[in-house]
Every structure is written in structure tokens, then in C-alpha cells.
Amino acid sequence: MRIADAQWVPSTPHQTWDALFDPAVLQRCLPGCIRVNRLTDTEYTITVRAKVGGMDAEYEGEILVSDLKPPESCSLAFDGKGAAAGLAIGTAQVSLSPKDHGTRISYTVAAMAGGKLAALGEPAILKAGGKIIDKFFDAFGSHVAAQPRQAPPPPPPAPEPRGLVASRWSWVMALAVVVMLVGYHTLFK
């Protein structure tokens, strides 16, 4: 199963990025979300209650974030298991870009289901997934719109130059060595 789409939210890319990685925001905006825990900067656990094709189940899952390029893009790997419903695993590519005084969030999700969930069929799963995504972006868009706009953080400082070019004292030392060598050869040879 594959879903590719884009959404626009009324927030700057850096604020959108921060909100997408905030467990409290995710828990508030994701339909049926019971809890989101950040284990590390790139690992999350999540518990969600979802109804797919008439089957209501609770899923425990893990999300691993990689290829981080804040506030532009990342990759996600996820899995979710429901005791009665089966499992879902997949990956997602997410990109953020400035658009119309807000942020365009592009995403491509590739997922597979197993167990009773897979028996429902891809059309039912895609329909339920689309509803969850729509509800998430409605809630997420409302959340970020209510936040005051902030200027982007300053870029990191440029690294200090190294080597002879960077230090006046390095040149003085090099010149002193040359003068000593020339003086030695001139006076003592």
C-alpha cells in the first residue's frame, strides 16, 4: 500500500518541524492517540486506538526517525501491533518547504499489513488511513495556526579557519624559521 500527498499548514518550516517532533502535539493531533513517548531524539513509542473496516483495535508501535535534515526532511520507519487486529509496518519520507507564508508538508508512505488487518483489504485500509491523515492535518493545522510566529533560529556559526592562513602567529613562526635557516647558512657556511 502506498500513499503520496502534500498538505499546507499556516506555520513556518522550523516551527512546523518542531511541532511534528513534539510528543504532546502529536498526542493532541493524532486521532485516537492514547500516548506518544520520546525515547531518544530519533525513537518514539506510540499507542493508538483506531477503527479500520469496522474493527476497533489498540495498536502499540515504534517509530524510528532517520536521515534528519532539520527543518527540511526526514525518513521514518514504523511498526504497530494490535493483539486482536494484526500488524502494520512501513516507511515514510517527509519533506517540508516554505509555501505561501506557511509550510508545504510532502509525504510518501509505503506500508504493509498482516493478520486480520490485512484480511480487510487494501481499499478499506487506504480509506481508513486517509481519514486518519485528514483528521491529523486538520488538528495539526489548527494547532500551529494558534501559535505565535517566530523568526527562524540563526544559522550555526561558521567554523573557525585553521592552518597557516588563519593565524597571524603561524605566519610569524614560519617567517622566524625561514630567517633562522637563511641566517645560519649565511653566517656559518
Side-chain angles (χ1 to χ4, degrees), residues 4-5 14-15 39 65 74 82 127-128 131 179:
D5 203 354
H14 72 278
Q15 285 181 278
L39 303 176
V65 184
C74 68
K127 182 178 178 183
K131 286 181 182 178
V179 167

Short mmCIF file of all heavy atoms in Angstrom, two decimals, residues 4-5 14-15 39 65 74 82 127-128 131 179:
data_model
loop_
_atom_site.label_atom_id
_atom_site.label_comp_id
_atom_site.label_asym_id
_atom_site.label_seq_id
_atom_site.Cartn_x
_atom_site.Cartn_y
_atom_site.Cartn_z
N ALA A 4 0.86 8.92 -1.27
CA ALA A 4 1.72 10.07 -1.51
C ALA A 4 0.83 11.29 -1.64
O ALA A 4 -0.15 11.27 -2.39
CB ALA A 4 2.55 9.87 -2.77
N ASP A 5 1.15 12.33 -0.90
CA ASP A 5 0.32 13.53 -0.91
C ASP A 5 1.10 14.69 -0.31
O ASP A 5 2.26 14.52 0.09
CB ASP A 5 -0.97 13.29 -0.12
CG ASP A 5 -2.11 14.22 -0.52
OD1 ASP A 5 -1.89 15.13 -1.34
OD2 ASP A 5 -3.23 14.04 0.00
N HIS A 14 10.43 25.91 10.31
CA HIS A 14 11.11 25.49 11.55
C HIS A 14 10.11 25.26 12.68
O HIS A 14 10.28 24.35 13.49
CB HIS A 14 12.22 26.49 11.95
CG HIS A 14 11.73 27.78 12.45
ND1 HIS A 14 11.35 28.81 11.63
CD2 HIS A 14 11.55 28.23 13.72
CE1 HIS A 14 10.95 29.83 12.36
NE2 HIS A 14 11.06 29.51 13.63
N GLN A 15 9.04 26.06 12.75
CA GLN A 15 8.02 25.83 13.78
C GLN A 15 7.23 24.55 13.47
O GLN A 15 6.86 23.81 14.39
CB GLN A 15 7.07 27.02 13.88
CG GLN A 15 7.70 28.21 14.58
CD GLN A 15 6.73 29.36 14.69
OE1 GLN A 15 6.57 30.12 13.74
NE2 GLN A 15 6.09 29.49 15.83
N LEU A 39 11.70 8.37 23.27
CA LEU A 39 12.74 7.62 23.97
C LEU A 39 14.10 8.30 23.78
O LEU A 39 14.87 8.41 24.72
CB LEU A 39 12.80 6.18 23.45
CG LEU A 39 11.49 5.39 23.55
CD1 LEU A 39 11.64 4.02 22.93
CD2 LEU A 39 11.05 5.27 25.01
N VAL A 65 13.20 7.59 13.50
CA VAL A 65 13.43 8.71 12.58
C VAL A 65 14.89 8.66 12.13
O VAL A 65 15.79 8.47 12.95
CB VAL A 65 13.14 10.06 13.27
CG1 VAL A 65 13.29 11.21 12.29
CG2 VAL A 65 11.77 10.06 13.91
N CYS A 74 13.06 14.21 6.53
CA CYS A 74 13.46 13.07 7.33
C CYS A 74 12.81 11.81 6.77
O CYS A 74 11.93 11.88 5.92
CB CYS A 74 13.07 13.24 8.80
SG CYS A 74 11.29 13.21 9.10
N GLY A 82 -1.37 -4.85 16.98
CA GLY A 82 -2.59 -4.91 17.77
C GLY A 82 -2.88 -6.36 18.09
O GLY A 82 -2.87 -7.21 17.19
N LYS A 127 -8.75 3.74 2.84
CA LYS A 127 -9.83 4.66 3.22
C LYS A 127 -9.67 5.09 4.68
O LYS A 127 -9.75 6.29 5.00
CB LYS A 127 -11.18 3.99 3.01
CG LYS A 127 -12.37 4.87 3.31
CD LYS A 127 -13.67 4.16 3.03
CE LYS A 127 -14.85 5.04 3.39
NZ LYS A 127 -16.13 4.34 3.19
N ALA A 128 -9.41 4.14 5.57
CA ALA A 128 -9.22 4.46 6.99
C ALA A 128 -7.97 5.31 7.19
O ALA A 128 -7.98 6.28 7.94
CB ALA A 128 -9.13 3.18 7.81
N LYS A 131 -8.63 8.93 6.17
CA LYS A 131 -9.40 9.65 7.18
C LYS A 131 -8.53 10.08 8.36
O LYS A 131 -8.63 11.20 8.86
CB LYS A 131 -10.56 8.78 7.69
CG LYS A 131 -11.70 8.65 6.71
CD LYS A 131 -12.81 7.79 7.31
CE LYS A 131 -13.94 7.61 6.32
NZ LYS A 131 -15.01 6.75 6.86
N VAL A 179 63.99 32.84 8.49
CA VAL A 179 65.06 33.79 8.80
C VAL A 179 66.21 33.06 9.50
O VAL A 179 67.39 33.29 9.19
CB VAL A 179 64.53 34.97 9.65
CG1 VAL A 179 65.66 35.80 10.24
CG2 VAL A 179 63.61 35.83 8.82
#
